[in-house]
Amino acid sequence: LFIYGYDDDKQVFHCADCFENLKYGVKEVSYKCFEMASRKFYSNDLMNGIVCFKLKDYVSSGFSIDFVKKQLSDYLDSGANQIDYYNKIKMPTGVRIIGDTEWRDAFGIKAYDQIKLILEDILFSKYPWNAKIILAPDLRLVVDHSLLNLRRYSFIVEKYGLTENEKLVKDMENQFAKARIIENLLLKYSLSPDLDYVSKMLSKINKFVEDEKEITAQLLKELEGLHD
């Protein structure tokens, strides 16, 4: 857990860590919550307590475009370029009946392959409805994954002034809309496990993946001549 700031008025710390689905992000943690958690630091022999670092004057932050391009290539190749940790997502391998299942790492664009297998499992299996409802939180992974990826792309587009590429910007806007449609179908399925929602999700995800491949390739082409 990395604390990079605080707000005394709101009584919160600004924190960064892998909070959900092994994806790095930021979150506000209340002073009270942190105080309660800190008690465990000193009651557990495996913990070393809270360690504070003072930022040196000569330290600066940067944004490596070469590394970002490598990440994008790795995302399309699903781990072939040896930095798959950054494009990894934990995915269930099938429908959970009693709440436990085998989980495996999915890399890059192949994360969607795993979720499609799960949707097909729901469509064609004889599992009871309650087992299928349990799966709804797992399906949330594909929505979180797609939205986070699009936000990363939006940041790159804005940072490097790629907004003049109207096709890329428009394609990304459409992709955000498609992700929200999938999110809405997931919500409907979690409230009422109708197989029609699953069938629609599967169809939408197939198109979503193809479009994401094209957007990623467009972004890589735009960044081609840029270097650190």
Side-chain angles (χ1 to χ4, degrees):
L1 181 70
F2 175 61
I3 300 173
Y4 61 91
Y6 61 91
D7 188 326
D8 276 337
D9 293 332
K10 294 172 68 175
Q11 296 283 289
V12 297
F13 288 111
H14 299 296
C15 304
D17 203 351
C18 299
F19 292 107
E20 296 179 9
N21 305 331
L22 294 180
K23 292 296 180 183
Y24 200 77
V26 296
K27 194 172 185 178
E28 291 183 349
V29 180
S30 70
Y31 289 174
K32 185 177 181 180
C33 180
F34 195 87
E35 181 184 2
M36 292 173 63
S38 67
R39 294 171 189 165
K40 294 183 180 180
F41 296 160
Y42 300 105
S43 63
N44 190 328
D45 291 337
L46 297 178
M47 303 285 187
N48 293 320
I50 302 172
V51 178
C52 297
F53 297 90
K54 183 177 180 180
L55 191 64
K56 298 289 187 181
D57 294 337
Y58 58 80
V59 174
S60 62
S61 60
F63 189 85
S64 171
I65 188 60
D66 288 328
F67 183 67
V68 168
K69 287 193 292 185
K70 189 165 179 58
Q71 276 189 285
L72 292 173
S73 296
D74 185 56
Y75 186 74
L76 284 178
D77 296 340
S78 297
N81 290 328
Q82 309 303 318
I83 58 166
D84 39 40
Y85 169 80
Y86 297 96
N87 289 314
K88 180 169 69 174
I89 184 171
K90 283 281 187 183
M91 303 292 279
T93 57
V95 175
R96 297 184 298 167
I97 296 182
I98 314 179
D100 56 12
T101 187
E102 178 187 353
W103 289 64
R104 68 173 58 146
D105 292 335
F107 299 105
I109 203 80
K110 286 187 177 178
Y112 294 108
D113 292 342
Q114 192 58 41
I115 211 72
K116 285 190 285 184
L117 287 174
I118 296 169
L119 289 171
E120 290 168 356
D121 196 11
I122 294 174
L123 276 176
F124 305 115
S125 73
K126 296 180 181 179
Y127 289 119
W129 283 117
N130 60 341
K132 295 171 183 177
I133 295 172
I134 290 172
L135 185 64
D138 296 337
L139 291 176
R140 177 77 211 182
L141 285 170
V142 75
V143 176
D144 291 342
H145 177 73
S146 59
L147 287 172
L148 179 62
N149 218 38
L150 285 169
R151 291 189 188 106
R152 292 164 73 192
Y153 288 7
S154 294
F155 173 79
I156 295 169
V157 166
E158 291 175 12
K159 182 173 178 65
Y160 288 95
L162 306 180
T163 52
E164 293 182 1
N165 186 330
E166 295 181 4
K167 183 180 185 307
L168 176 61
V169 172
K170 187 65 177 177
D171 286 349
M172 287 177 58
E173 289 175 355
N174 291 336
Q175 197 75 339
F176 267 114
K178 291 172 200 163
R180 293 303 184 190
I181 291 172
I182 295 171
E183 183 178 38
N184 190 42
L185 287 169
L186 173 58
L187 176 61
K188 289 179 178 179
Y189 174 73
S190 64
L191 296 173
S192 174
D194 188 329
L195 288 180
D196 186 48
Y197 296 139
V198 178
S199 181
K200 287 179 179 177
M201 269 193 282
L202 190 55
S203 173
K204 297 287 183 186
I205 288 172
N206 283 328
K207 181 70 170 73
F208 187 92
V209 173
E210 291 308 309
D211 291 342
E212 186 165 290
K213 287 178 182 177
E214 183 180 337
I215 289 172
T216 307
Q218 279 189 72
L219 194 53
L220 269 169
K221 188 174 181 180
E222 284 290 322
L223 298 172
E224 206 169 54
L226 299 178
H227 299 282
D228 293 335

